[in-house]
Amino acid sequence: MSEPARKRGVLAGGEPSTSSDSSTSSEWTTDDDSSTIESSDSDDNNDDLVSSVLNVEFEGRNPQFSDFPGVKQLLQQLFLKAPVNLSDLSSRLITQPGIGSVIKQVHDDDDDDDEDDNSIVDVNQVYGITTILNISQKTSECVENLHKLMLDLSNQFSDSDTTRFVNGLLSDDTKQVGLLINERYVNIPPPISVPLFHAIRKELFSLKPKDSSYNFDYLILISKIYKAKKDKKENKSFEGATVFWSNAEEEFFDDAADYKFEFCVQNDKGTGLAGNWVESDPEMVPFRRVLIFTMEKFLSVTNTLASFLEPAGTVYNSAYKPGSI
């Protein structure tokens, strides 16, 4: 069977930002003023370059209680109708100490004096969240929900080897398993993930000596993917269908995953792909792909991502640089 065509986004350009906050260990800023999206056309195999202008500056910072509504909304677009207490999960992600980042738009004090309402920044808007939650230790309702969800999904949708592995992994008290959450709105380019992932690495490096629950053996990532239905009247098989990744960088984790399985969420209400679609375009059917990989694979993939995607102009507020930990 031929490998599905792939699409990846690559961001170029940008100037260093002078905005930083030394009180937040995971903070970074990037001012991206141009982007180039490289795509593959499955019909004629010709690459098209589409340029767009981004005049938005983002920063990553530790989650705060005021981020609760935004974090919950992002989790809803990932889990859809899954039986997970998202209020409890949002609270856990915000209150767990010293790990995780939310994406915010940079607020300039000069904006307060700007008379143009279109330039006003909503300081409470959360554009994304990247973090890890231990799901081995069932210490809250949401963790119990996630633990059961992974077992149920694996039993229902994966092959026998994967099912056996997942059941063994989640029942082994000696293994620490983390759920890697990497969720953001679809119009934010993949390079923004590089400093977020490496902030996670730095935070884990600091936390592991103090708390063994952060010394993860395996990570689980639930990715949002879409498959193009070739015939709108037929929906019996997606074998060989083109796969589109909502977060393009997650395809690197897919390549490195030790185990994986997927399931269709077409009957659930979710967020579709951004873009200009016409009637003749194939229908995009949403799936979730569950990726399971070792912590060593996470370190290797994030190093690879840094070499491919790190945005020009990224500023870190410490001596830490990707690949140094």
Side-chain angles (χ1 to χ4, degrees):
M1 181 179 67
S2 61
E3 188 175 2
R6 299 179 177 181
K7 290 191 176 183
R8 286 195 179 121
V10 180
L11 186 67
E15 296 296 331
S17 168
T18 58
S19 173
S20 64
D21 182 356
S22 59
S23 64
T24 305
S25 63
S26 63
E27 183 166 328
W28 51 271
T29 62
T30 177
D31 183 6
D32 302 313
D33 56 13
S34 67
S35 68
T36 301
I37 306 299
E38 182 176 353
S39 62
S40 174
D41 190 324
S42 59
D43 293 331
D44 55 15
N45 294 321
N46 291 326
D47 291 337
D48 297 325
L49 294 180
V50 181
S51 297
S52 60
V53 177
L54 300 176
N55 294 315
V56 179
E57 188 178 5
F58 292 104
E59 64 181 356
R61 60 174 62 174
N62 297 129
Q64 301 173 346
F65 285 108
S66 60
D67 298 325
F68 177 88
V71 170
K72 184 177 179 181
Q73 185 174 3
L74 286 163
L75 294 176
Q76 285 173 333
Q77 73 176 21
L78 174 64
F79 288 100
L80 301 176
K81 296 181 180 179
V84 177
N85 186 331
L86 297 183
S87 293
D88 187 38
L89 179 56
S90 300
S91 296
R92 289 279 296 180
L93 297 180
I94 291 171
T95 58
Q96 64 174 348
I99 190 167
S101 301
V102 292
I103 302 173
K104 294 289 195 75
Q105 188 173 344
V106 173
H107 175 64
D108 192 333
D109 291 338
D110 293 338
D111 292 340
D112 296 334
D113 301 325
D114 197 330
E115 296 180 357
D116 184 0
D117 291 340
N118 293 328
S119 66
I120 296 177
V121 175
D122 181 359
V123 295
N124 291 320
Q125 176 66 50
V126 178
Y127 292 90
I129 181 169
T130 298
T131 189
I132 297 179
L133 180 68
N134 189 309
I135 62 171
S136 296
Q137 302 180 0
K138 294 179 282 186
T139 56
S140 67
E141 179 183 351
C142 69
V143 173
E144 291 181 357
N145 295 158
L146 290 167
H147 194 276
K148 185 177 186 302
L149 178 66
M150 289 298 103
L151 290 174
D152 291 345
L153 291 175
S154 175
N155 290 333
Q156 185 175 357
F157 297 109
S158 69
D159 58 40
S160 58
D161 288 342
T162 302
T163 299
R164 185 163 45 251
F165 176 81
V166 172
N167 278 269
L169 179 65
L170 294 180
S171 62
D172 188 344
D173 294 335
T174 67
K175 300 293 185 183
Q176 300 297 330
V177 181
L179 178 67
L180 175 60
I181 295 175
N182 180 47
E183 192 63 24
R184 65 179 183 271
Y185 291 116
V186 294
N187 59 330
I188 300 179
I192 206 168
S193 66
V194 174
L196 293 174
F197 283 140
H198 284 280
I200 290 286
R201 291 176 54 157
K202 180 185 177 183
E203 291 158 349
L204 289 177
F205 184 80
S206 299
L207 289 168
K208 285 190 297 183
K210 308 170 188 176
D211 188 343
S212 61
S213 67
Y214 290 101
N215 189 18
F216 294 109
D217 297 286
Y218 282 88
L219 297 179
I220 298 175
L221 173 65
I222 304 175
S223 293
K224 294 187 302 186
I225 63 172
Y226 298 82
K227 295 187 178 183
K229 188 193 297 185
K230 297 179 180 179
D231 188 340
K232 294 184 178 181
K233 296 181 180 179
E234 297 290 336
N235 189 25
K236 295 181 180 179
S237 174
F238 288 91
E239 184 176 355
T242 301
V243 175
F244 298 85
W245 295 79
S246 181
N247 294 336
E249 72 277 2
E250 293 176 3
E251 189 174 358
F252 287 83
F253 291 104
D254 180 70
D255 292 339
D258 297 286
Y259 296 90
K260 68 182 78 172
F261 61 90
E262 65 183 42
F263 53 96
C264 181
V265 292
Q266 186 175 19
N267 294 328
D268 297 341
K269 183 179 180 181
T271 303
L273 281 176
N276 297 320
W277 305 98
V278 296
E279 184 65 26
S280 59
D281 288 332
E283 180 183 351
M284 304 302 294
V285 179
F287 283 75
R288 296 292 182 267
R289 182 173 293 180
V290 179
L291 308 176
I292 306 168
F293 44 88
T294 63
M295 191 64 198
E296 289 75 16
K297 294 281 185 69
F298 173 75
L299 299 177
S300 175
V301 169
T302 50
N303 282 338
T304 301
L305 287 173
S307 65
F308 273 90
L309 298 177
E310 184 170 17
T314 302
V315 178
Y316 298 87
N317 69 347
S318 70
Y320 168 75
K321 285 290 293 178
S324 63
I325 294 178

